[in-house]
Amino acid sequence: MNYLAHLHLADHTHTSPLGNLLGDFVKGPLPGDLPPELRLGIRLHRAIDVFTDRHPEHRAAVATLPPPWRRYGPILVDMLYDHWLSRHWTRFEPGGLSPFLAKHYQGLLTSRHPLPPPLRRMAEQQWLGSYMEWDGIARALDGIGLRLRRPLPLGDGARQLAAVSREHMEQGFLRFYPTLMGFAREEAERLKREEAG
């Protein structure tokens, strides 16, 4: 999953939004001086990513991508899932997407914890609202593609996706995301008990 889904699942599980986003930036063993709420969020992020990557719907979506994009399938599908989450927001969240994003941008920018530069840019430039449009996702993927070891126009993977493949993947997302929400809720409770233990 990508930024929007991790923020939504942080809200859904009453865990740290920043911690859930930091899962993309903190690698390896967690530092001992990490605040408990960030530790919990990072651990939840990691569990969500593993659950997602192993889920049959996600694997089927990756398999839908033609070469050479299948190699980057997990990145592409995670971003496309953020697109469909934004498009179907009211299925999963009673409030509107814009107020949700405004609240989280403000929370990140006023955090007492330092933000990795990509997270600061995301909040300052308010990237996530653009995910509602297919071209917004393609531009975001192009930005990711520039940071790969061998830069490439990763957005072309979305631009070249046939309409029938998009529809198939979208329906898969709509089946998958409620399952992910349930997993995240249960895993967050398990991690809270473990951290308190």
Side-chain angles (χ1 to χ4, degrees):
M1 304 311 289
N2 203 34
Y3 291 155
L4 180 58
H6 280 295
L7 279 177
H8 180 246
L9 293 169
D11 252 27
H12 179 66
T13 58
H14 309 290
T15 56
S16 165
L18 177 57
N20 277 272
L21 292 177
L22 285 175
D24 281 335
F25 301 94
V26 178
K27 305 299 183 190
L30 297 180
D33 61 347
L34 203 60
E37 71 276 9
L38 297 185
R39 171 184 295 279
L40 175 63
I42 292 168
R43 291 183 69 200
L44 181 59
H45 176 117
R46 291 176 176 180
I48 287 167
D49 281 356
V50 168
F51 180 85
T52 299
D53 289 345
R54 292 180 178 168
H55 196 278
E57 292 288 1
H58 190 273
R59 288 178 181 244
V62 169
T64 300
L65 295 166
W69 307 115
R70 191 171 302 145
R71 176 179 178 192
Y72 305 97
I75 298 169
L76 283 155
V77 172
D78 285 354
M79 289 295 290
L80 297 179
Y81 278 7
D82 265 11
H83 168 72
W84 288 309
L85 176 57
S86 68
R87 299 290 292 188
H88 298 285
W89 184 257
T90 55
R91 286 189 184 209
F92 307 111
E93 187 65 32
L97 178 59
S98 293
F100 174 89
L101 292 177
K103 174 183 85 169
H104 284 294
Y105 290 145
Q106 181 66 18
L108 290 170
L109 292 173
T110 58
S111 172
R112 59 189 169 96
H113 304 290
L115 296 178
L119 284 185
R120 178 162 293 284
R121 284 194 302 276
M122 180 270 290
E124 288 174 344
Q125 297 171 15
Q126 301 184 2
W127 292 348
L128 302 182
S130 72
Y131 287 7
M132 188 172 280
E133 301 304 323
W134 196 258
D135 193 53
I137 283 292
R139 284 193 311 272
L141 282 163
D142 282 337
I144 293 169
L146 290 174
R147 297 190 297 274
L148 296 175
R149 188 175 300 134
R150 290 185 178 166
L152 80 160
L154 198 55
D156 286 352
R159 291 181 190 100
Q160 294 172 9
L161 196 59
V164 66
S165 296
R166 285 190 198 185
E167 174 66 21
H168 177 74
M169 292 168 81
E170 182 176 10
Q171 293 307 311
F173 167 78
L174 292 173
R175 289 188 297 269
F176 166 69
Y177 198 70
T179 304
L180 178 61
M181 289 174 69
F183 167 80
R185 189 172 50 251
E186 291 174 12
E187 184 66 6
E189 291 307 313
R190 187 188 73 76
L191 291 172
K192 286 174 188 176
R193 290 192 300 271
E194 194 174 282
E195 292 280 334

